[in-house]
Amino acid sequence: GENVEQHPSTLSVQEGDSAVIKCTYSDSASNYFPWYKQELGKRPQLIIDIRSNVGEKKDQRIAVTLNKTAKHFSLHITETQPEDSAVYFCAATSGGYQKVTFGTGTKLQVIP
Amino acid sequence: DGGITQSPKYLFRKEGQNVTLSCEQNLNHDAMYWYRQDPGQGLRLIYYSQIVNDFQKGDIAEGYSVSREKKESFPLTVTSAQKNPTAFYLCASKTSGGAGDTQYFGPGTRLTVL
């Protein structure tokens, strides 16, 4: 089955700096890669996603890149703000299957 | 994700008791999921269902059971066989049209075994 590894587990950045979170996956059939943000005690919320036919996607301060050959994808947050502090999860889904495999999460702390 | 509800928000259970967590969605989604989240950890899949009257075990199904009698409902029973059930339980749903459909989460149920 699919295995998703996520790094780092914790990340502290100064407000205004950039943050990068990286994930690798094992199943070459995976073709959809969402990123979720989870605030303490709340549900995960989708913040951006990318499909395997695209190499990069941006949405304001958030971007995701995908390298299918190396089987890794990354989340980039620029100009970080204190409200970006949360736990971020990457995930991978295989085509034809409904099972979604999550990474172990990255706790991001933005220091004002 | 406002179309997925879970109840109760907090649940306390004595050891040896079974307890059922509710998950309802009005998004007309075919696929539904149950995840367990422990403090500081990721989401681990318990069970998922792609269609009514069908469901599959996830990675940590032991000690849990589910049913899918209606499209909008996917209740999870935590049985006494689950040795360490205290956790945050999240239900999710998505369309089953393809792998690229977004998964939406409910607000979660925090279960504590006393």
Short mmCIF file of all heavy atoms in Angstrom, two decimals, chain A residues 6 21 34-49 61-62 75 77 80-91 102 105-110, chain B residues 1 37 43 88 90 102-103 105-106:
data_model
loop_
_atom_site.label_atom_id
_atom_site.label_comp_id
_atom_site.label_asym_id
_atom_site.label_seq_id
_atom_site.Cartn_x
_atom_site.Cartn_y
_atom_site.Cartn_z
N GLN A 6 6.52 12.58 5.87
CA GLN A 6 6.44 14.04 5.91
C GLN A 6 7.53 14.59 6.83
O GLN A 6 7.73 14.08 7.93
CB GLN A 6 5.06 14.47 6.41
CG GLN A 6 4.82 15.95 6.44
CD GLN A 6 3.37 16.31 6.76
OE1 GLN A 6 2.49 15.47 6.74
NE2 GLN A 6 3.14 17.57 7.06
N ILE A 21 7.49 22.54 3.67
CA ILE A 21 7.21 21.21 4.22
C ILE A 21 7.27 20.21 3.08
O ILE A 21 6.69 20.46 2.01
CB ILE A 21 5.83 21.18 4.89
CG1 ILE A 21 5.75 22.23 6.00
CG2 ILE A 21 5.55 19.79 5.47
CD1 ILE A 21 4.35 22.43 6.57
N PRO A 34 -3.42 16.32 -1.81
CA PRO A 34 -3.96 17.49 -1.10
C PRO A 34 -3.11 17.84 0.12
O PRO A 34 -2.40 16.99 0.67
CB PRO A 34 -5.35 17.00 -0.66
CG PRO A 34 -5.17 15.52 -0.48
CD PRO A 34 -4.11 15.10 -1.46
N TRP A 35 -3.22 19.09 0.54
CA TRP A 35 -2.60 19.56 1.78
C TRP A 35 -3.71 20.11 2.68
O TRP A 35 -4.56 20.87 2.22
CB TRP A 35 -1.58 20.66 1.49
CG TRP A 35 -0.30 20.16 0.93
CD1 TRP A 35 0.00 19.99 -0.39
CD2 TRP A 35 0.87 19.78 1.66
NE1 TRP A 35 1.29 19.52 -0.53
CE2 TRP A 35 1.85 19.39 0.71
CE3 TRP A 35 1.21 19.74 3.01
CZ2 TRP A 35 3.11 18.95 1.08
CZ3 TRP A 35 2.47 19.31 3.38
CH2 TRP A 35 3.41 18.92 2.41
N TYR A 36 -3.63 19.72 3.96
CA TYR A 36 -4.63 20.16 4.92
C TYR A 36 -3.96 20.94 6.04
O TYR A 36 -2.85 20.66 6.45
CB TYR A 36 -5.37 18.96 5.53
CG TYR A 36 -6.31 18.26 4.58
CD1 TYR A 36 -5.86 17.27 3.72
CD2 TYR A 36 -7.66 18.60 4.55
CE1 TYR A 36 -6.72 16.62 2.86
CE2 TYR A 36 -8.53 17.96 3.68
CZ TYR A 36 -8.05 16.98 2.84
OH TYR A 36 -8.91 16.35 1.98
N LYS A 37 -4.71 21.91 6.57
CA LYS A 37 -4.28 22.68 7.74
C LYS A 37 -5.24 22.35 8.87
O LYS A 37 -6.47 22.38 8.69
CB LYS A 37 -4.34 24.18 7.42
CG LYS A 37 -4.05 25.10 8.60
CD LYS A 37 -4.21 26.56 8.18
CE LYS A 37 -3.94 27.50 9.34
NZ LYS A 37 -4.12 28.93 8.94
N GLN A 38 -4.69 22.03 10.03
CA GLN A 38 -5.51 21.70 11.18
C GLN A 38 -5.11 22.56 12.36
O GLN A 38 -3.99 22.46 12.86
CB GLN A 38 -5.42 20.22 11.54
CG GLN A 38 -6.38 19.80 12.64
CD GLN A 38 -6.28 18.34 13.01
OE1 GLN A 38 -5.23 17.72 12.88
NE2 GLN A 38 -7.39 17.75 13.46
N GLU A 39 -6.03 23.39 12.81
CA GLU A 39 -5.81 24.17 14.03
C GLU A 39 -6.20 23.32 15.22
O GLU A 39 -6.96 22.36 15.10
CB GLU A 39 -6.59 25.47 13.95
CG GLU A 39 -6.12 26.35 12.78
CD GLU A 39 -6.91 27.62 12.62
OE1 GLU A 39 -7.94 27.77 13.31
OE2 GLU A 39 -6.51 28.47 11.81
N LEU A 40 -5.69 23.69 16.37
CA LEU A 40 -5.86 22.89 17.58
C LEU A 40 -7.32 22.60 17.88
O LEU A 40 -8.13 23.51 18.00
CB LEU A 40 -5.19 23.61 18.76
CG LEU A 40 -5.07 22.80 20.04
CD1 LEU A 40 -4.19 21.58 19.82
CD2 LEU A 40 -4.53 23.66 21.18
N GLY A 41 -7.65 21.31 17.95
CA GLY A 41 -9.01 20.90 18.30
C GLY A 41 -10.02 21.03 17.18
O GLY A 41 -11.22 20.78 17.39
N LYS A 42 -9.54 21.42 16.00
CA LYS A 42 -10.47 21.62 14.87
C LYS A 42 -10.31 20.52 13.81
O LYS A 42 -9.41 19.68 13.89
CB LYS A 42 -10.20 22.99 14.23
CG LYS A 42 -10.33 24.17 15.17
CD LYS A 42 -11.77 24.45 15.50
CE LYS A 42 -11.93 25.69 16.38
NZ LYS A 42 -11.49 26.93 15.71
N ARG A 43 -11.17 20.56 12.83
CA ARG A 43 -11.08 19.59 11.74
C ARG A 43 -10.02 20.03 10.74
O ARG A 43 -9.76 21.21 10.58
CB ARG A 43 -12.44 19.49 11.03
CG ARG A 43 -12.78 20.69 10.15
CD ARG A 43 -14.18 20.62 9.59
NE ARG A 43 -15.17 21.13 10.54
CZ ARG A 43 -16.48 21.03 10.36
NH1 ARG A 43 -16.96 20.43 9.29
NH2 ARG A 43 -17.31 21.51 11.26
N PRO A 44 -9.41 19.10 10.01
CA PRO A 44 -8.50 19.48 8.92
C PRO A 44 -9.27 20.19 7.82
O PRO A 44 -10.39 19.80 7.46
CB PRO A 44 -7.96 18.13 8.44
CG PRO A 44 -8.18 17.19 9.57
CD PRO A 44 -9.45 17.64 10.23
N GLN A 45 -8.64 21.22 7.27
CA GLN A 45 -9.25 21.99 6.19
C GLN A 45 -8.30 21.97 5.00
O GLN A 45 -7.11 22.24 5.15
CB GLN A 45 -9.49 23.44 6.62
CG GLN A 45 -10.37 23.60 7.85
CD GLN A 45 -11.80 23.91 7.49
OE1 GLN A 45 -12.21 23.76 6.35
NE2 GLN A 45 -12.60 24.32 8.47
N LEU A 46 -8.84 21.69 3.82
CA LEU A 46 -8.04 21.70 2.61
C LEU A 46 -7.54 23.11 2.31
O LEU A 46 -8.33 24.05 2.31
CB LEU A 46 -8.86 21.18 1.43
CG LEU A 46 -8.14 21.14 0.09
CD1 LEU A 46 -7.19 19.95 0.06
CD2 LEU A 46 -9.12 21.06 -1.06
N ILE A 47 -6.24 23.24 2.06
CA ILE A 47 -5.72 24.56 1.72
C ILE A 47 -5.24 24.63 0.27
O ILE A 47 -5.30 25.69 -0.36
CB ILE A 47 -4.57 24.99 2.66
CG1 ILE A 47 -3.45 23.94 2.70
CG2 ILE A 47 -5.12 25.26 4.06
CD1 ILE A 47 -2.21 24.42 3.45
N ILE A 48 -4.78 23.53 -0.27
CA ILE A 48 -4.35 23.48 -1.66
C ILE A 48 -4.19 22.03 -2.06
O ILE A 48 -3.97 21.17 -1.20
CB ILE A 48 -3.04 24.29 -1.88
CG1 ILE A 48 -2.78 24.58 -3.36
CG2 ILE A 48 -1.85 23.57 -1.26
CD1 ILE A 48 -1.69 25.61 -3.61
N ASP A 49 -4.30 21.76 -3.34
CA ASP A 49 -4.09 20.40 -3.82
C ASP A 49 -3.45 20.45 -5.20
O ASP A 49 -3.41 21.49 -5.85
CB ASP A 49 -5.40 19.61 -3.86
CG ASP A 49 -6.48 20.28 -4.71
OD1 ASP A 49 -6.16 21.23 -5.47
OD2 ASP A 49 -7.65 19.88 -4.61
N ARG A 61 -0.31 33.15 -1.06
CA ARG A 61 0.97 32.91 -0.39
C ARG A 61 1.34 31.43 -0.32
O ARG A 61 2.39 31.07 0.20
CB ARG A 61 0.92 33.48 1.03
CG ARG A 61 0.72 34.98 1.10
CD ARG A 61 0.84 35.47 2.55
NE ARG A 61 -0.21 34.94 3.42
CZ ARG A 61 -0.02 34.01 4.35
NH1 ARG A 61 1.18 33.49 4.56
NH2 ARG A 61 -1.03 33.60 5.11
N ILE A 62 0.49 30.58 -0.84
CA ILE A 62 0.70 29.14 -0.73
C ILE A 62 0.97 28.54 -2.11
O ILE A 62 0.31 28.92 -3.08
CB ILE A 62 -0.53 28.46 -0.10
CG1 ILE A 62 -0.72 28.93 1.34
CG2 ILE A 62 -0.39 26.94 -0.13
CD1 ILE A 62 -2.01 28.44 1.97
N LEU A 75 5.06 21.76 0.15
CA LEU A 75 4.20 22.92 0.42
C LEU A 75 5.10 24.10 0.75
O LEU A 75 6.01 23.97 1.58
CB LEU A 75 3.26 22.63 1.59
CG LEU A 75 2.36 23.78 2.02
CD1 LEU A 75 1.28 24.03 0.97
CD2 LEU A 75 1.73 23.48 3.38
N ILE A 77 4.99 28.13 1.95
CA ILE A 77 4.21 29.26 2.45
C ILE A 77 5.14 30.45 2.53
O ILE A 77 6.18 30.40 3.21
CB ILE A 77 3.62 28.98 3.84
CG1 ILE A 77 2.79 27.68 3.83
CG2 ILE A 77 2.74 30.15 4.28
CD1 ILE A 77 2.29 27.26 5.20
N THR A 80 5.04 34.38 5.93
CA THR A 80 4.24 33.73 6.97
C THR A 80 3.70 34.74 7.98
O THR A 80 4.33 35.76 8.28
CB THR A 80 5.06 32.67 7.70
OG1 THR A 80 6.28 33.25 8.16
CG2 THR A 80 5.37 31.49 6.79
N GLN A 81 2.52 34.40 8.49
CA GLN A 81 1.84 35.22 9.48
C GLN A 81 1.51 34.36 10.69
O GLN A 81 1.41 33.13 10.57
CB GLN A 81 0.56 35.79 8.86
CG GLN A 81 0.82 36.62 7.61
CD GLN A 81 -0.45 36.95 6.83
OE1 GLN A 81 -1.56 36.60 7.23
NE2 GLN A 81 -0.27 37.63 5.70
N PRO A 82 1.30 34.96 11.85
CA PRO A 82 0.99 34.16 13.05
C PRO A 82 -0.21 33.24 12.85
O PRO A 82 -0.23 32.13 13.40
CB PRO A 82 0.71 35.24 14.10
CG PRO A 82 1.55 36.40 13.67
CD PRO A 82 1.49 36.38 12.17
N GLU A 83 -1.17 33.65 12.06
CA GLU A 83 -2.35 32.80 11.84
C GLU A 83 -2.06 31.58 10.97
O GLU A 83 -2.92 30.70 10.81
CB GLU A 83 -3.51 33.60 11.24
CG GLU A 83 -3.14 34.41 10.03
CD GLU A 83 -2.78 35.85 10.36
OE1 GLU A 83 -2.13 36.08 11.41
OE2 GLU A 83 -3.14 36.75 9.57
N ASP A 84 -0.86 31.51 10.43
CA ASP A 84 -0.45 30.31 9.70
C ASP A 84 -0.03 29.20 10.66
O ASP A 84 0.14 28.04 10.25
CB ASP A 84 0.72 30.60 8.75
CG ASP A 84 0.34 31.54 7.62
OD1 ASP A 84 -0.84 31.53 7.19
OD2 ASP A 84 1.22 32.31 7.16
N SER A 85 0.14 29.53 11.93
CA SER A 85 0.53 28.52 12.92
C SER A 85 -0.55 27.46 13.03
O SER A 85 -1.72 27.76 13.31
CB SER A 85 0.77 29.18 14.27
OG SER A 85 1.85 30.09 14.22
N ALA A 86 -0.16 26.22 12.81
CA ALA A 86 -1.11 25.10 12.81
C ALA A 86 -0.32 23.83 12.50
O ALA A 86 0.90 23.87 12.32
CB ALA A 86 -2.20 25.30 11.76
N VAL A 87 -1.03 22.72 12.41
CA VAL A 87 -0.43 21.48 11.94
C VAL A 87 -0.86 21.27 10.49
O VAL A 87 -2.04 21.41 10.16
CB VAL A 87 -0.87 20.28 12.80
CG1 VAL A 87 -0.25 18.98 12.25
CG2 VAL A 87 -0.45 20.47 14.25
N TYR A 88 0.10 20.96 9.65
CA TYR A 88 -0.15 20.76 8.23
C TYR A 88 0.07 19.29 7.87
O TYR A 88 1.06 18.69 8.27
CB TYR A 88 0.77 21.65 7.39
CG TYR A 88 0.44 23.12 7.54
CD1 TYR A 88 0.90 23.85 8.62
CD2 TYR A 88 -0.35 23.77 6.59
CE1 TYR A 88 0.57 25.19 8.78
CE2 TYR A 88 -0.67 25.11 6.73
CZ TYR A 88 -0.20 25.81 7.84
OH TYR A 88 -0.53 27.14 7.98
N PHE A 89 -0.87 18.74 7.11
CA PHE A 89 -0.79 17.35 6.68
C PHE A 89 -0.77 17.27 5.16
O PHE A 89 -1.56 17.94 4.48
CB PHE A 89 -2.00 16.55 7.16
CG PHE A 89 -2.06 16.35 8.64
CD1 PHE A 89 -2.85 17.18 9.43
CD2 PHE A 89 -1.35 15.33 9.25
CE1 PHE A 89 -2.92 16.99 10.80
CE2 PHE A 89 -1.41 15.14 10.62
CZ PHE A 89 -2.20 15.98 11.39
N CYS A 90 0.12 16.44 4.65
CA CYS A 90 0.06 16.10 3.23
C CYS A 90 -0.66 14.76 3.10
O CYS A 90 -0.81 14.03 4.08
CB CYS A 90 1.46 16.01 2.62
SG CYS A 90 2.51 14.71 3.33
N ALA A 91 -1.12 14.46 1.89
CA ALA A 91 -1.81 13.19 1.65
C ALA A 91 -1.64 12.79 0.20
O ALA A 91 -1.32 13.63 -0.66
CB ALA A 91 -3.29 13.29 2.02
N PHE A 102 -2.32 9.68 4.68
CA PHE A 102 -1.83 10.95 5.20
C PHE A 102 -0.40 10.84 5.71
O PHE A 102 0.02 9.78 6.19
CB PHE A 102 -2.72 11.42 6.35
CG PHE A 102 -4.03 11.99 5.91
CD1 PHE A 102 -5.10 11.16 5.61
CD2 PHE A 102 -4.20 13.36 5.77
CE1 PHE A 102 -6.32 11.68 5.19
CE2 PHE A 102 -5.41 13.88 5.36
CZ PHE A 102 -6.47 13.04 5.06
N GLY A 105 2.23 14.77 9.67
CA GLY A 105 1.95 16.13 10.09
C GLY A 105 3.20 16.94 10.43
O GLY A 105 4.21 16.39 10.86
N THR A 106 3.09 18.25 10.22
CA THR A 106 4.15 19.21 10.58
C THR A 106 3.52 20.32 11.40
O THR A 106 2.57 20.97 10.95
CB THR A 106 4.80 19.82 9.33
OG1 THR A 106 5.45 18.80 8.58
CG2 THR A 106 5.79 20.90 9.71
N LYS A 107 4.04 20.51 12.60
CA LYS A 107 3.55 21.59 13.45
C LYS A 107 4.35 22.84 13.12
O LYS A 107 5.54 22.92 13.41
CB LYS A 107 3.68 21.23 14.92
CG LYS A 107 3.07 22.28 15.85
CD LYS A 107 3.14 21.84 17.30
CE LYS A 107 2.50 22.87 18.22
NZ LYS A 107 2.54 22.44 19.64
N LEU A 108 3.66 23.81 12.52
CA LEU A 108 4.31 25.06 12.13
C LEU A 108 4.02 26.13 13.17
O LEU A 108 2.85 26.37 13.52
CB LEU A 108 3.82 25.52 10.76
CG LEU A 108 4.29 26.91 10.30
CD1 LEU A 108 5.81 26.93 10.11
CD2 LEU A 108 3.60 27.32 9.02
N GLN A 109 5.07 26.77 13.65
CA GLN A 109 4.93 27.89 14.57
C GLN A 109 5.54 29.12 13.93
O GLN A 109 6.71 29.12 13.56
CB GLN A 109 5.62 27.59 15.90
CG GLN A 109 5.48 28.72 16.91
CD GLN A 109 6.24 28.45 18.19
OE1 GLN A 109 7.16 27.63 18.24
NE2 GLN A 109 5.88 29.15 19.25
N VAL A 110 4.73 30.16 13.79
CA VAL A 110 5.21 31.43 13.25
C VAL A 110 5.37 32.39 14.41
O VAL A 110 4.39 32.73 15.10
CB VAL A 110 4.24 32.00 12.20
CG1 VAL A 110 4.77 33.32 11.67
CG2 VAL A 110 4.03 31.00 11.07
N ASP B 1 -17.36 21.62 3.93
CA ASP B 1 -17.32 20.66 5.03
C ASP B 1 -18.39 20.94 6.05
O ASP B 1 -18.56 20.22 7.01
CB ASP B 1 -15.91 20.66 5.68
CG ASP B 1 -15.42 22.03 5.99
OD1 ASP B 1 -16.02 22.68 6.85
OD2 ASP B 1 -14.46 22.46 5.37
N GLN B 37 -7.16 10.09 15.39
CA GLN B 37 -6.00 10.98 15.56
C GLN B 37 -5.61 11.00 17.03
O GLN B 37 -6.41 11.35 17.90
CB GLN B 37 -6.33 12.39 15.07
CG GLN B 37 -5.13 13.31 15.04
CD GLN B 37 -5.41 14.65 14.42
OE1 GLN B 37 -6.51 15.17 14.51
NE2 GLN B 37 -4.42 15.22 13.76
N LEU B 43 -3.31 11.24 10.90
CA LEU B 43 -4.60 10.60 10.78
C LEU B 43 -4.41 9.15 10.34
O LEU B 43 -3.81 8.90 9.29
CB LEU B 43 -5.48 11.33 9.77
CG LEU B 43 -6.09 12.66 10.21
CD1 LEU B 43 -5.04 13.75 10.27
CD2 LEU B 43 -7.20 13.05 9.26
N PHE B 88 -9.09 11.33 19.26
CA PHE B 88 -9.96 12.24 18.52
C PHE B 88 -10.35 11.52 17.23
O PHE B 88 -9.49 11.07 16.48
CB PHE B 88 -9.18 13.52 18.22
CG PHE B 88 -9.98 14.63 17.61
CD1 PHE B 88 -11.20 15.02 18.15
CD2 PHE B 88 -9.51 15.33 16.51
CE1 PHE B 88 -11.93 16.07 17.61
CE2 PHE B 88 -10.22 16.38 15.96
CZ PHE B 88 -11.44 16.75 16.50
N LEU B 90 -12.28 11.44 13.60
CA LEU B 90 -12.71 12.30 12.50
C LEU B 90 -13.39 11.48 11.42
O LEU B 90 -12.88 10.46 11.00
CB LEU B 90 -11.53 13.05 11.90
CG LEU B 90 -10.96 14.19 12.73
CD1 LEU B 90 -9.53 14.49 12.30
CD2 LEU B 90 -11.83 15.43 12.60
N THR B 102 -11.94 16.17 -3.49
CA THR B 102 -11.54 16.63 -2.16
C THR B 102 -12.29 15.90 -1.07
O THR B 102 -13.50 15.67 -1.16
CB THR B 102 -11.80 18.14 -2.04
OG1 THR B 102 -11.07 18.80 -3.06
CG2 THR B 102 -11.36 18.65 -0.68
N GLN B 103 -11.59 15.58 -0.02
CA GLN B 103 -12.17 14.96 1.16
C GLN B 103 -12.55 16.06 2.14
O GLN B 103 -11.73 16.95 2.44
CB GLN B 103 -11.13 14.03 1.78
CG GLN B 103 -11.66 12.87 2.54
CD GLN B 103 -10.55 11.93 2.99
OE1 GLN B 103 -9.47 12.36 3.33
NE2 GLN B 103 -10.83 10.64 2.98
N PHE B 105 -13.99 17.02 6.01
CA PHE B 105 -14.00 16.44 7.34
C PHE B 105 -15.13 17.00 8.20
O PHE B 105 -15.51 18.16 8.06
CB PHE B 105 -12.67 16.72 8.04
CG PHE B 105 -11.55 15.86 7.54
CD1 PHE B 105 -10.80 16.23 6.45
CD2 PHE B 105 -11.25 14.65 8.17
CE1 PHE B 105 -9.78 15.43 5.98
CE2 PHE B 105 -10.22 13.85 7.71
CZ PHE B 105 -9.48 14.24 6.61
N GLY B 106 -15.62 16.15 9.10
CA GLY B 106 -16.53 16.59 10.14
C GLY B 106 -15.75 17.24 11.27
O GLY B 106 -14.52 17.24 11.26
#
